[in-house]
Structure formats: C-alpha cells, structure tokens
Amino acid sequence: EKTLDYYIKHRTVRHQRVLDAVNSGITDLGAISEIAYENTPDAHPGLAKQQTLSHLLAWQRSGEISEQSRGWHPNG
C-alpha cells in the first residue's frame, strides 16, 4: 500500500508540475518536459516527452489548457 501511495503522489506532483510550467508561460513540449522532469535527471528524454504529452492531453481534456499553433497555453 505504501508503494502504491508513493506512485500516486509522485504522479500527482508531476501532473501539477506540467500545468505549472504551462501557466508560467512555457509553451514548448520539450521545455515543459524539462521542467516537469527536472527532479528526475536520469529520465530518458523520449519517455519524459511522451509522459509529458500524456499530462498535457489530460489537462486539455479537463479544459485547463489548450494546444494552439504556438504551443500549449492556459485557458482563461
């Protein structure tokens, strides 16, 4: 149970870091990924980008952000 709780918390923190990066004005997937994974320097860059995109798409589905021609942007 402790292990599962750890992974859920870890995922929740990463999810929020992605949104925080977009809300701070970072629009590029690669740059958002670098911010989201700065506490995991050994993460494979390709995997980090794929996972960041998953978080971005989840935030888009929730209506918090949208993808535009110039990258990812907060709604509202």
Side-chain angles (χ1 to χ4, degrees):
E1 190 175 315
K2 286 181 182 182
T3 300
L4 187 56
D5 287 343
Y6 168 80
Y7 283 117
I8 290 170
K9 181 179 178 184
H10 178 77
R11 180 86 173 168
T12 301
V13 168
R14 171 95 16 92
H15 193 60
Q16 187 62 48
R17 289 173 66 90
V18 169
L19 181 62
D20 291 345
V22 174
N23 284 335
S24 75
I26 300 169
T27 61
D28 175 70
L29 173 61
I32 295 167
S33 177
E34 287 176 16
I35 295 296
Y37 279 81
E38 69 185 358
N39 62 346
T40 314
D42 294 334
H44 185 279
L47 180 59
K49 282 184 182 178
Q50 284 180 325
Q51 291 301 306
T52 299
L53 180 58
S54 293
H55 288 290
L56 290 166
L57 293 172
W59 283 118
Q60 183 178 40
R61 283 190 300 276
S62 74
E64 293 288 327
I65 65 172
S66 59
E67 184 180 20
Q68 301 170 11
S69 61
R70 292 167 288 138
W72 294 92
H73 300 275
N75 288 334

